[in-house]
Amino acid sequence: MYEVETKCIHLMNKDTSCDKSGAVSFPIYQTATFAHEGFGRSTGYDYSRTQNPTREQVEKIVAGLEGGIDAVAFSSGMAAIAALMEIFSPGDEVIVDEDLYGGSTRLFSNISEKNGIKIISLDFKRDEIEPYITKQTKAIYFETPTNPMMHVIDIQKISKISKKYQLLLIVDNTFLSPYFQNPLKLGADIVIHSGTKYLSGHNDTLAGFIVSLQPEIAEKIRYIIKTTGAGLAPFDSWLVLRGIKTLAIRMERAQENAFYLADWLKSRPEVTRVIYPGLEEHLGHMLLKEQAKGFGAMLTFEVKSKAFAEQILNRVKLIQFAESLGGVESLITYPITQTHADVPPEALEKSGITDKVLRLSVGIENAKDLIEDLQQAFVPDKEEIYGRK
Ligand SMILES: *Cc1c(COP(=O)(O)O)cnc(C)c1O
């Protein structure tokens, strides 16, 4: 069995690769369809909506990294989650954690609900789940750590409930990537990834994955992608393949930088709260230490005022004010108007996502340069110094 760093680069069994040319960088099979050698004879490929060799290669790598029997690559994380919801039927119920990626909340409450799937949203770190389980309940869905408040949810504890009631346990593992956390090994049945983030890692493509552990589920997902058609394109599959090769060193470096930034932010009087699970005072620190191999490189912080949050967004130079995360470039986001713009105000308030909260996706630049950038962004405006504001 290869170690994770090796699995990012090589398939466990080279013989399962469809490419026999010996190419070290897997070829991009830029083709829509595949010719048959004759009646009743096939190369194993028919049409790229169903499968394409480059997509298949990235799927095998991701399945190997998560310890699943199959991974299916979609054109984005949301395409993957939307396809996953097709395994449910009208009348089914899905219990979800309330602190979710804003796009997932939008999908569940506007599209899944319209399609007759009842979504029950709970606070998994506080509410008991069992009282909400009915005969119609089919699955439990959450992210850990959550976005953007970085709550850590106990995968094994929830998997005991899902197993007791024969529900599917679905975990969105985007924030830690398979390098740091493997939910399937902790009792989850399905893992979701926005491959746009750490897996591809260079802010240059969108991608999504559904990784499954049971053959019946894998078969259903294969049927859905063939039928609804949001598969990852050959070139984008190649970009993700290339990105994953450096996943291990990117994750380590980004995490190291996140620790530096968390410490620096903590030392600043303008910062009222630093939420990074790597910090010992973080409520989920011990749990994350048990269920994952690292703390990741996402950190959220709260500043003294909305005006100060805006000042930082206007002033950062190296750190870019942009949505998304998990790339080599450090990005800062303002969840209230960006990732979580469509989340109802009551839900935002309950989660503590205020207009003073900023989220940093720490990249792999030199930490000193990142801190200097924040430092210059923190210097008060002239008007503020001279009292004209
Ligand atoms: C970005 C993200 C998604 C959605 O993925 P896209 O690739 O942007 O469609 C889903 N879940 C989490 C946790 C994310 O960060």
Side-chain angles (χ1 to χ4, degrees), residues 145 149-152 274-286 288:
M149 300 313 273
M150 311 303 295
H151 301 305
V152 180
V274 181
I275 311 171
Y276 178 57
L279 298 173
E280 272 170 30
E281 66 263 31
H282 188 282
L283 282 176
H285 179 78
M286 287 312 291
L288 194 56

Side-chain angles (χ1 to χ4, degrees), residues 74-81 100-104 141 143-147 172-175 192-197 205-209 298 323-325 339 359:
F74 290 84
S75 57
S76 71
M78 289 321 301
I81 303 170
L100 290 179
Y101 175 71
S104 303
Y141 183 107
E143 300 169 8
T144 181
T146 66
N147 178 16
D172 181 333
N173 197 29
T174 301
F175 264 40
I192 291 285
H193 275 287
S194 166
T196 312
K197 317 294 168 54
T205 185
L206 300 187
F209 291 89
M298 294 301 300
E323 252 172 280
S324 202
L325 63 110
T339 51
R359 190 192 77 183

Side-chain angles (χ1 to χ4, degrees), residues 72-91:
V72 180
F74 290 84
S75 57
S76 71
M78 289 321 301
I81 303 170
L84 177 65
M85 294 311 282
E86 296 295 338
I87 69 177
F88 303 114
S89 303

Side-chain angles (χ1 to χ4, degrees), residues 68-335:
I69 62 149
D70 197 24
V72 180
F74 290 84
S75 57
S76 71
M78 289 321 301
I81 303 170
L84 177 65
M85 294 311 282
E86 296 295 338
I87 69 177
F88 303 114
S89 303
D92 286 353
E93 298 179 6
V94 180
I95 299 177
V96 308
D97 181 38
E98 62 185 17
D99 199 19
L100 290 179
Y101 175 71
S104 303
T105 305
R106 182 170 57 217
L107 174 80
F108 294 153
S109 51
N110 299 333
I111 310 287
S112 307
E113 286 271 1
K114 166 190 73 89
N115 293 340
I117 299 157
K118 193 168 159 204
I119 304 291
I120 294 123
S121 181
L122 304 176
D123 179 352
F124 280 18
K125 63 187 184 317
R126 205 194 49 214
D127 301 336
E128 288 289 334
I129 293 175
E130 286 191 66
Y132 293 89
I133 295 173
T134 71
K135 283 205 165 55
Q136 281 70 48
T137 309
K138 292 285 153 48
I140 301 176
Y141 183 107
F142 64 93
E143 300 169 8
T144 181
T146 66
N147 178 16
M149 300 313 273
M150 311 303 295
H151 301 305
V152 180
I153 295 170
D154 192 333
I155 302 174
Q156 273 173 310
K157 190 173 133 202
I158 295 189
S159 84
K160 289 205 182 93
I161 302 172
S162 71
K163 289 196 169 48
K164 181 171 165 193
Y165 294 91
Q166 295 181 317
L167 310 176
L168 286 175
L169 182 61
I170 306 161
V171 179
D172 181 333
N173 197 29
T174 301
F175 264 40
L176 285 184
S177 89
Y179 179 69
F180 280 141
Q181 180 171 270
N182 297 124
L184 297 179
K185 294 185 181 146
L186 299 168
D189 302 290
I190 296 173
V191 160
I192 291 285
H193 275 287
S194 166
T196 312
K197 317 294 168 54
Y198 289 104
L199 289 174
S200 62
H202 294 72
N203 289 317
D204 54 11
T205 185
L206 300 187
F209 291 89
I210 301 177
V211 193
S212 47
L213 202 54
Q214 293 106 355
E216 320 83 75
I217 305 287
E219 211 172 293
K220 276 188 194 165
I221 305 294
R222 289 272 161 212
Y223 183 79
I224 292 165
I225 197 169
K226 174 169 93 177
T227 308
T228 60
L232 192 61
F235 181 61
D236 295 354
S237 298
W238 185 83
L239 284 171
V240 181
L241 270 175
R242 180 175 157 120
I244 292 176
K245 290 185 186 188
T246 55
L247 178 69
I249 53 170
R250 285 189 285 104
M251 292 307 296
E252 291 290 350
R253 175 53 175 266
Q255 170 171 263
E256 188 185 318
N257 282 352
F259 271 104
Y260 281 120
L261 262 65
D263 280 342
W264 183 83
L265 287 165
K266 263 177 68 176
S267 74
R268 297 292 305 209
E270 304 92 332
V271 177
T272 47
R273 196 171 162 207
V274 181
I275 311 171
Y276 178 57
L279 298 173
E280 272 170 30
E281 66 263 31
H282 188 282
L283 282 176
H285 179 78
M286 287 312 291
L287 174 58
L288 194 56
K289 219 170 158 173
E290 278 166 34
Q291 73 180 14
K293 293 188 287 273
F295 303 100
M298 294 301 300
L299 68 85
T300 295
F301 64 103
E302 190 182 61
V303 293
K304 58 184 182 177
S305 66
K306 175 174 186 247
F308 194 67
E310 283 174 15
Q311 175 187 318
I312 296 170
L313 294 172
N314 286 330
R315 291 265 205 87
V316 282
K317 294 194 178 99
L318 180 62
I319 300 170
Q320 294 168 93
F321 174 26
E323 252 172 280
S324 202
L325 63 110
V328 294
E329 297 90 358
S330 293
L331 302 181
I332 192 162
T333 27
Y334 197 36

